[in-house]
Amino acid sequence: MTATDRSIELVNLAAQAAADRLAHDIIAYDVSDVLSITDAFLLASAPNDRQVKSIVDEIEERLQKELGAKPVRREGDRDARWILLDYVDIVIHVQHSEERVFYALERLWKDCPEIPLPEEALETRGKAAEHARLTGADGADGELS
């Protein structure tokens, strides 16, 4: 089984929305062969809590406005360190960069196929490490993989 066309459409629009809000290291996985509860995971990160919330708000607004999609569940708003949007077909994780490195969700899903994303989303790869170097932030020592 592979992700449905609807799931791919949701992932691509969400990835574009995240890139428009300057998310880092956007990646999507087709998890339909290993999970029965969803087709795809989209992962993105940001260097601060305010930006995490901004990215999530933009994703939610764009999916509602352009595709009529509303999340069935939104978790993690209080601290805005890791916000999860569950659209049933896809699950979106937007994490603070420190949580992204610590939890390393990519390691869990690395054997699943990547879903092709818009160019702007692909250009975000490596931005967390670049930001950490520029700001002297601890904890992000390079590639997220």
Side-chain angles (χ1 to χ4, degrees):
M1 181 165 27
T2 59
T4 65
D5 291 342
R6 173 70 173 173
S7 297
I8 301 296
E9 183 179 32
L10 289 166
V11 162
N12 278 288
L13 184 56
Q16 184 63 57
D20 290 347
R21 287 286 184 215
L22 306 178
H24 296 168
D25 301 305
I26 302 168
I27 191 165
Y29 294 102
D30 180 338
V31 296
S32 61
D33 282 341
V34 294
L35 293 177
S36 61
I37 58 171
T38 193
D39 282 349
F41 280 164
L42 178 71
L43 311 175
S45 55
N48 61 64
D49 304 350
R50 181 177 287 168
Q51 191 175 358
V52 167
K53 187 153 179 23
S54 174
I55 292 164
V56 169
D57 289 345
E58 181 69 11
I59 291 170
E60 196 169 8
E61 183 178 318
R62 296 267 293 275
L63 291 181
Q64 166 65 38
K65 185 177 177 183
E66 296 181 32
L67 298 176
K70 291 183 184 178
V72 296
R73 187 172 52 152
R74 179 174 171 153
E75 295 183 5
D77 271 331
R78 193 180 69 175
D79 295 329
R81 301 284 294 179
W82 180 349
I83 299 177
L84 178 142
L85 293 173
D86 183 350
Y87 285 88
V88 179
D89 295 328
I90 69 169
V91 176
I92 300 166
H93 301 268
V94 182
Q95 299 174 294
H96 188 288
S97 298
E98 292 170 1
E99 268 69 16
R100 180 90 179 256
V101 170
F102 182 79
Y103 289 101
L105 295 178
E106 289 89 346
R107 282 195 314 232
L108 294 173
W109 308 111
K110 68 181 178 187
D111 293 334
C112 295
E114 269 190 54
I115 296 173
L117 297 175
E119 188 62 35
E120 293 85 357
L122 295 176
E123 291 171 358
T124 68
R125 306 275 173 93
K127 293 289 185 185
E130 179 182 332
H131 182 268
R133 270 193 309 279
L134 293 173
T135 61
D138 293 330
D141 61 337
E143 290 295 308
L144 294 173
S145 55

